[in-house]
Structure formats: C-alpha cells, structure tokens
Amino acid sequence: MKLVVVSAGLSVPSSTRLLADRLTTAVQGRTPVDVEVIELRELAVEIAQNLTNGFPGRRLAAALEAVTEADGLIAVTPVFSASYSGLFKSFFDVLDRDALAGKPVLIAATGGTARHSLVLDHALRPLFSYLKAVVVPTGVYAASEDWGAEGLPERIERAAGELAALMRGLPGTTRPAKTDDEVKVVPFAEQLAALRPTA
C-alpha cells in the first residue's frame, strides 16, 4: 500500500513537517506502507504557474500523480489567518476534482496557539469532504505548547490507527452498497397507515 504525505510547512526545520513525520511513523507502526512525502514549498513556483497557465510542471505532475494513486493520504498545513495556508489550498485546487474520491485522508495542522484548533473542523474537513475524500474522525492539531505535552502522542496514535484501518479496508470501515434486491420501497400511503394508532 502507498501512503502519501503532503506537508505545507514553509520553514526549515518545520513543525508542520515534524507533525507529518510523527503521523507517518505511527501509521507505519500499524500497517506496512510505502511512503512518499511531498513538500509543497518545493513546488510553490510550479503550483503558481499551473494556476495561471493550466499546465503542471514535471515535479508538480509527479506529485499530483502520487496523490491520485495513493491508498491513503496525510495532509498537514500550518495555520495562516485562521485557516489553511494559501500554498496548501492551491495544491488541492490544481488536483483533479475526483482524485481523492473515496480515499482515506488524515488531516492535521500546526499553529502558534491552541485557539486555532478549530481549523480542522471549520476549514480542512469541509475542503476534503468537498473533494469526496473519506476523512478519518480524529484530526490532529499541534500548537506550540503541545510539543512534549500530554495528549498529542495519544491523538497521533488514534488518528494513525483510524487511517491504517481505512487503508486496510477493515470490516466496519466501509459499507457496501445495497443491491436492488435489498432495497424495499414502501409507498407513502403504507407509511402513513403504519403511523396511525390502532383502535
């Protein structure tokens, strides 16, 4: 199985990349995966060019293909102005609209204060839901004070376990579609009759 990690950190070293690496290690501890890390700062120029001319450069095309072919995705962004970074959003803007359909995704973010933790549910989760990805229940946010503190390792392990389970397709992680024979349509009149009290 292939796990692709998208990190939108801008600095070197980067707390965003550090969180991405810890999440990756936790997933590797639960299921065997081949890992490819995509550092968006190295693709910034090609992403901007793609937005203006519609054609990805060689390195960006390879990154987009890797995401499309992945069995699972870890996406980590720093928080800028209470949301994901522009570089992070731009990368997913140039990705094919169906590339993430049905794909398990673990979302994570880093920021300077715990007050930005809602970015997971108010920005990242809606973005990946729009892209039809299957976002794991546990998102991981790491503020500056979280590094070395209690709680972060547990959230990392829980989220990694959820992603690994989805990637392996464990029972209960996906629901097969019902066949036509299993779908019973009850006429509205019968539904109303069933609701009326009997004498």
Side-chain angles (χ1 to χ4, degrees):
M1 287 189 298
K2 182 176 182 180
L3 173 65
V4 171
V5 182
V6 175
S7 173
L10 298 179
S11 60
V12 180
S14 163
S15 61
T16 301
R17 176 60 190 269
L18 176 59
L19 180 57
D21 288 345
R22 289 199 179 176
L23 290 165
T24 301
T25 299
V27 173
Q28 288 176 309
R30 294 172 178 270
T31 191
V33 289
D34 295 321
V35 177
E36 181 173 347
V37 178
I38 298 171
E39 285 278 9
L40 294 187
R41 63 184 173 78
E42 298 174 358
L43 301 172
V45 173
E46 289 191 29
I47 292 171
Q49 289 173 339
N50 191 1
L51 287 169
T52 56
N53 64 26
F55 298 99
R58 179 182 54 82
R59 294 174 66 200
L60 176 58
L64 296 173
E65 182 179 1
V67 169
T68 301
E69 295 179 351
D71 297 298
L73 181 71
I74 294 175
V76 191
T77 180
V79 175
F80 289 167
S81 301
S83 188
Y84 36 65
S85 73
L87 180 60
F88 183 86
K89 178 63 162 56
S90 295
F91 176 76
F92 290 100
D93 283 344
V94 300
L95 186 68
D96 183 87
R97 66 169 56 184
D98 294 319
L100 297 183
K103 194 181 302 294
V105 176
L106 191 168
I107 55 173
T110 58
T113 171
R115 290 192 298 273
H116 289 307
S117 62
L118 289 176
V119 69
L120 295 173
D121 292 320
H122 289 274
L124 286 167
R125 199 172 295 277
L127 170 64
F128 287 101
S129 294
Y130 173 78
L131 294 172
K132 306 182 203 73
V134 179
V135 184
V136 303
T138 303
V140 180
Y141 178 82
S144 298
E145 62 266 25
D146 288 329
W147 298 104
E150 292 183 7
L152 181 59
E154 290 79 8
R155 292 197 304 275
I156 288 172
E157 289 297 328
R158 184 168 59 246
E162 293 166 356
L163 180 63
L166 283 172
M167 290 178 68
R168 291 194 308 266
L170 292 183
T173 59
T174 58
R175 181 176 296 172
K178 290 186 177 180
T179 64
D180 291 340
D181 293 337
E182 295 176 301
V183 177
K184 181 181 178 185
V185 178
V186 179
F188 185 64
E190 289 183 27
Q191 294 179 44
L192 283 177
L195 293 173
R196 291 188 187 122
T198 57

PDB file of all heavy atoms in Angstrom, residues 60-83:
ATOM      1  N   LEU A  60       5.557  18.907 -10.255  1.00  0.00           N
ATOM      2  CA  LEU A  60       4.179  19.016  -9.770  1.00  0.00           C
ATOM      3  C   LEU A  60       3.325  17.889 -10.348  1.00  0.00           C
ATOM      4  O   LEU A  60       2.509  17.294  -9.633  1.00  0.00           O
ATOM      5  CB  LEU A  60       3.591  20.375 -10.146  1.00  0.00           C
ATOM      6  CG  LEU A  60       2.114  20.580  -9.770  1.00  0.00           C
ATOM      7  CD1 LEU A  60       1.891  20.405  -8.269  1.00  0.00           C
ATOM      8  CD2 LEU A  60       1.634  21.962 -10.226  1.00  0.00           C
ATOM      9  N   ALA A  61       3.505  17.577 -11.625  1.00  0.00           N
ATOM     10  CA  ALA A  61       2.741  16.486 -12.244  1.00  0.00           C
ATOM     11  C   ALA A  61       3.000  15.173 -11.515  1.00  0.00           C
ATOM     12  O   ALA A  61       2.077  14.377 -11.281  1.00  0.00           O
ATOM     13  CB  ALA A  61       3.102  16.368 -13.721  1.00  0.00           C
ATOM     14  N   ALA A  62       4.262  14.932 -11.129  1.00  0.00           N
ATOM     15  CA  ALA A  62       4.601  13.705 -10.399  1.00  0.00           C
ATOM     16  C   ALA A  62       3.928  13.685  -9.029  1.00  0.00           C
ATOM     17  O   ALA A  62       3.447  12.642  -8.573  1.00  0.00           O
ATOM     18  CB  ALA A  62       6.115  13.589 -10.255  1.00  0.00           C
ATOM     19  N   ALA A  63       3.885  14.850  -8.366  1.00  0.00           N
ATOM     20  CA  ALA A  63       3.242  14.936  -7.052  1.00  0.00           C
ATOM     21  C   ALA A  63       1.743  14.700  -7.160  1.00  0.00           C
ATOM     22  O   ALA A  63       1.148  13.982  -6.349  1.00  0.00           O
ATOM     23  CB  ALA A  63       3.523  16.299  -6.420  1.00  0.00           C
ATOM     24  N   LEU A  64       1.113  15.281  -8.165  1.00  0.00           N
ATOM     25  CA  LEU A  64      -0.324  15.101  -8.363  1.00  0.00           C
ATOM     26  C   LEU A  64      -0.648  13.641  -8.667  1.00  0.00           C
ATOM     27  O   LEU A  64      -1.640  13.096  -8.177  1.00  0.00           O
ATOM     28  CB  LEU A  64      -0.818  16.004  -9.492  1.00  0.00           C
ATOM     29  CG  LEU A  64      -0.706  17.513  -9.245  1.00  0.00           C
ATOM     30  CD1 LEU A  64      -1.061  18.285 -10.502  1.00  0.00           C
ATOM     31  CD2 LEU A  64      -1.584  17.947  -8.073  1.00  0.00           C
ATOM     32  N   GLU A  65       0.205  13.004  -9.457  1.00  0.00           N
ATOM     33  CA  GLU A  65       0.006  11.590  -9.778  1.00  0.00           C
ATOM     34  C   GLU A  65       0.157  10.723  -8.533  1.00  0.00           C
ATOM     35  O   GLU A  65      -0.605   9.777  -8.320  1.00  0.00           O
ATOM     36  CB  GLU A  65       1.002  11.149 -10.850  1.00  0.00           C
ATOM     37  CG  GLU A  65       0.829   9.695 -11.270  1.00  0.00           C
ATOM     38  CD  GLU A  65       1.817   9.277 -12.344  1.00  0.00           C
ATOM     39  OE1 GLU A  65       2.652  10.110 -12.762  1.00  0.00           O
ATOM     40  OE2 GLU A  65       1.762   8.112 -12.764  1.00  0.00           O
ATOM     41  N   ALA A  66       1.139  11.057  -7.694  1.00  0.00           N
ATOM     42  CA  ALA A  66       1.351  10.295  -6.464  1.00  0.00           C
ATOM     43  C   ALA A  66       0.135  10.367  -5.555  1.00  0.00           C
ATOM     44  O   ALA A  66      -0.309   9.354  -4.997  1.00  0.00           O
ATOM     45  CB  ALA A  66       2.593  10.813  -5.730  1.00  0.00           C
ATOM     46  N   VAL A  67      -0.440  11.555  -5.404  1.00  0.00           N
ATOM     47  CA  VAL A  67      -1.632  11.720  -4.567  1.00  0.00           C
ATOM     48  C   VAL A  67      -2.795  10.934  -5.152  1.00  0.00           C
ATOM     49  O   VAL A  67      -3.541  10.259  -4.434  1.00  0.00           O
ATOM     50  CB  VAL A  67      -1.982  13.218  -4.413  1.00  0.00           C
ATOM     51  CG1 VAL A  67      -3.357  13.387  -3.767  1.00  0.00           C
ATOM     52  CG2 VAL A  67      -0.919  13.932  -3.592  1.00  0.00           C
ATOM     53  N   THR A  68      -2.962  11.008  -6.448  1.00  0.00           N
ATOM     54  CA  THR A  68      -4.064  10.315  -7.112  1.00  0.00           C
ATOM     55  C   THR A  68      -3.973   8.809  -6.935  1.00  0.00           C
ATOM     56  O   THR A  68      -4.985   8.125  -6.746  1.00  0.00           O
ATOM     57  CB  THR A  68      -4.086  10.668  -8.613  1.00  0.00           C
ATOM     58  OG1 THR A  68      -4.227  12.086  -8.754  1.00  0.00           O
ATOM     59  CG2 THR A  68      -5.235   9.981  -9.327  1.00  0.00           C
ATOM     60  N   GLU A  69      -2.755   8.264  -6.981  1.00  0.00           N
ATOM     61  CA  GLU A  69      -2.568   6.810  -6.906  1.00  0.00           C
ATOM     62  C   GLU A  69      -2.415   6.284  -5.488  1.00  0.00           C
ATOM     63  O   GLU A  69      -2.351   5.072  -5.275  1.00  0.00           O
ATOM     64  CB  GLU A  69      -1.334   6.418  -7.729  1.00  0.00           C
ATOM     65  CG  GLU A  69      -1.497   6.677  -9.222  1.00  0.00           C
ATOM     66  CD  GLU A  69      -0.269   6.302 -10.014  1.00  0.00           C
ATOM     67  OE1 GLU A  69       0.779   5.991  -9.385  1.00  0.00           O
ATOM     68  OE2 GLU A  69      -0.349   6.312 -11.251  1.00  0.00           O
ATOM     69  N   ALA A  70      -2.376   7.168  -4.497  1.00  0.00           N
ATOM     70  CA  ALA A  70      -2.159   6.747  -3.112  1.00  0.00           C
ATOM     71  C   ALA A  70      -3.344   5.948  -2.578  1.00  0.00           C
ATOM     72  O   ALA A  70      -4.495   6.159  -2.977  1.00  0.00           O
ATOM     73  CB  ALA A  70      -1.912   7.963  -2.232  1.00  0.00           C
ATOM     74  N   ASP A  71      -3.038   5.043  -1.643  1.00  0.00           N
ATOM     75  CA  ASP A  71      -4.091   4.313  -0.933  1.00  0.00           C
ATOM     76  C   ASP A  71      -4.568   5.091   0.287  1.00  0.00           C
ATOM     77  O   ASP A  71      -5.644   4.808   0.827  1.00  0.00           O
ATOM     78  CB  ASP A  71      -3.568   2.945  -0.496  1.00  0.00           C
ATOM     79  CG  ASP A  71      -3.200   2.072  -1.684  1.00  0.00           C
ATOM     80  OD1 ASP A  71      -4.094   1.753  -2.486  1.00  0.00           O
ATOM     81  OD2 ASP A  71      -2.009   1.733  -1.827  1.00  0.00           O
ATOM     82  N   GLY A  72      -3.768   6.039   0.724  1.00  0.00           N
ATOM     83  CA  GLY A  72      -4.124   6.871   1.859  1.00  0.00           C
ATOM     84  C   GLY A  72      -3.300   8.140   1.833  1.00  0.00           C
ATOM     85  O   GLY A  72      -2.227   8.183   1.219  1.00  0.00           O
ATOM     86  N   LEU A  73      -3.813   9.188   2.488  1.00  0.00           N
ATOM     87  CA  LEU A  73      -3.165  10.494   2.442  1.00  0.00           C
ATOM     88  C   LEU A  73      -3.124  11.112   3.828  1.00  0.00           C
ATOM     89  O   LEU A  73      -4.103  11.056   4.573  1.00  0.00           O
ATOM     90  CB  LEU A  73      -3.941  11.411   1.486  1.00  0.00           C
ATOM     91  CG  LEU A  73      -3.423  12.829   1.267  1.00  0.00           C
ATOM     92  CD1 LEU A  73      -2.131  12.810   0.462  1.00  0.00           C
ATOM     93  CD2 LEU A  73      -4.472  13.667   0.534  1.00  0.00           C
ATOM     94  N   ILE A  74      -1.971  11.693   4.160  1.00  0.00           N
ATOM     95  CA  ILE A  74      -1.854  12.544   5.345  1.00  0.00           C
ATOM     96  C   ILE A  74      -1.621  13.955   4.823  1.00  0.00           C
ATOM     97  O   ILE A  74      -0.701  14.186   4.038  1.00  0.00           O
ATOM     98  CB  ILE A  74      -0.683  12.112   6.244  1.00  0.00           C
ATOM     99  CG1 ILE A  74      -0.937  10.726   6.837  1.00  0.00           C
ATOM    100  CG2 ILE A  74      -0.462  13.124   7.367  1.00  0.00           C
ATOM    101  CD1 ILE A  74       0.236  10.169   7.642  1.00  0.00           C
ATOM    102  N   ALA A  75      -2.457  14.894   5.240  1.00  0.00           N
ATOM    103  CA  ALA A  75      -2.355  16.277   4.766  1.00  0.00           C
ATOM    104  C   ALA A  75      -2.174  17.198   5.965  1.00  0.00           C
ATOM    105  O   ALA A  75      -3.039  17.255   6.848  1.00  0.00           O
ATOM    106  CB  ALA A  75      -3.606  16.668   3.982  1.00  0.00           C
ATOM    107  N   VAL A  76      -1.040  17.911   5.986  1.00  0.00           N
ATOM    108  CA  VAL A  76      -0.695  18.747   7.145  1.00  0.00           C
ATOM    109  C   VAL A  76      -0.372  20.160   6.672  1.00  0.00           C
ATOM    110  O   VAL A  76       0.423  20.351   5.746  1.00  0.00           O
ATOM    111  CB  VAL A  76       0.509  18.182   7.917  1.00  0.00           C
ATOM    112  CG1 VAL A  76       0.666  18.896   9.254  1.00  0.00           C
ATOM    113  CG2 VAL A  76       0.362  16.682   8.139  1.00  0.00           C
ATOM    114  N   THR A  77      -0.977  21.151   7.318  1.00  0.00           N
ATOM    115  CA  THR A  77      -0.759  22.543   6.947  1.00  0.00           C
ATOM    116  C   THR A  77      -0.497  23.399   8.180  1.00  0.00           C
ATOM    117  O   THR A  77      -1.043  23.116   9.256  1.00  0.00           O
ATOM    118  CB  THR A  77      -1.981  23.108   6.198  1.00  0.00           C
ATOM    119  OG1 THR A  77      -1.748  24.489   5.848  1.00  0.00           O
ATOM    120  CG2 THR A  77      -3.242  23.046   7.046  1.00  0.00           C
ATOM    121  N   PRO A  78       0.304  24.447   8.039  1.00  0.00           N
ATOM    122  CA  PRO A  78       0.345  25.447   9.113  1.00  0.00           C
ATOM    123  C   PRO A  78      -0.917  26.300   9.018  1.00  0.00           C
ATOM    124  O   PRO A  78      -1.560  26.360   7.967  1.00  0.00           O
ATOM    125  CB  PRO A  78       1.595  26.269   8.766  1.00  0.00           C
ATOM    126  CG  PRO A  78       1.754  26.121   7.291  1.00  0.00           C
ATOM    127  CD  PRO A  78       1.242  24.755   6.947  1.00  0.00           C
ATOM    128  N   VAL A  79      -1.265  26.939  10.122  1.00  0.00           N
ATOM    129  CA  VAL A  79      -2.438  27.813  10.135  1.00  0.00           C
ATOM    130  C   VAL A  79      -2.013  29.234   9.814  1.00  0.00           C
ATOM    131  O   VAL A  79      -1.139  29.795  10.475  1.00  0.00           O
ATOM    132  CB  VAL A  79      -3.146  27.764  11.503  1.00  0.00           C
ATOM    133  CG1 VAL A  79      -4.287  28.775  11.551  1.00  0.00           C
ATOM    134  CG2 VAL A  79      -3.669  26.368  11.773  1.00  0.00           C
ATOM    135  N   PHE A  80      -2.615  29.809   8.779  1.00  0.00           N
ATOM    136  CA  PHE A  80      -2.408  31.212   8.407  1.00  0.00           C
ATOM    137  C   PHE A  80      -3.766  31.896   8.412  1.00  0.00           C
ATOM    138  O   PHE A  80      -4.700  31.425   7.751  1.00  0.00           O
ATOM    139  CB  PHE A  80      -1.801  31.331   7.005  1.00  0.00           C
ATOM    140  CG  PHE A  80      -0.363  30.886   6.903  1.00  0.00           C
ATOM    141  CD1 PHE A  80       0.210  30.698   5.667  1.00  0.00           C
ATOM    142  CD2 PHE A  80       0.416  30.668   8.019  1.00  0.00           C
ATOM    143  CE1 PHE A  80       1.534  30.294   5.543  1.00  0.00           C
ATOM    144  CE2 PHE A  80       1.734  30.269   7.917  1.00  0.00           C
ATOM    145  CZ  PHE A  80       2.295  30.085   6.675  1.00  0.00           C
ATOM    146  N   SER A  81      -3.882  32.990   9.153  1.00  0.00           N
ATOM    147  CA  SER A  81      -5.139  33.760   9.201  1.00  0.00           C
ATOM    148  C   SER A  81      -6.340  32.866   9.499  1.00  0.00           C
ATOM    149  O   SER A  81      -7.369  32.927   8.820  1.00  0.00           O
ATOM    150  CB  SER A  81      -5.360  34.504   7.881  1.00  0.00           C
ATOM    151  OG  SER A  81      -4.287  35.375   7.614  1.00  0.00           O
ATOM    152  N   ALA A  82      -6.183  31.999  10.489  1.00  0.00           N
ATOM    153  CA  ALA A  82      -7.254  31.136  10.984  1.00  0.00           C
ATOM    154  C   ALA A  82      -7.724  30.096   9.978  1.00  0.00           C
ATOM    155  O   ALA A  82      -8.837  29.580  10.077  1.00  0.00           O
ATOM    156  CB  ALA A  82      -8.440  31.966  11.471  1.00  0.00           C
ATOM    157  N   SER A  83      -6.895  29.754   8.992  1.00  0.00           N
ATOM    158  CA  SER A  83      -7.273  28.741   8.019  1.00  0.00           C
ATOM    159  C   SER A  83      -6.012  28.042   7.498  1.00  0.00           C
ATOM    160  O   SER A  83      -4.907  28.308   7.975  1.00  0.00           O
ATOM    161  CB  SER A  83      -8.052  29.372   6.868  1.00  0.00           C
ATOM    162  OG  SER A  83      -8.582  28.375   6.007  1.00  0.00           O
TER     163      SER A  83
END
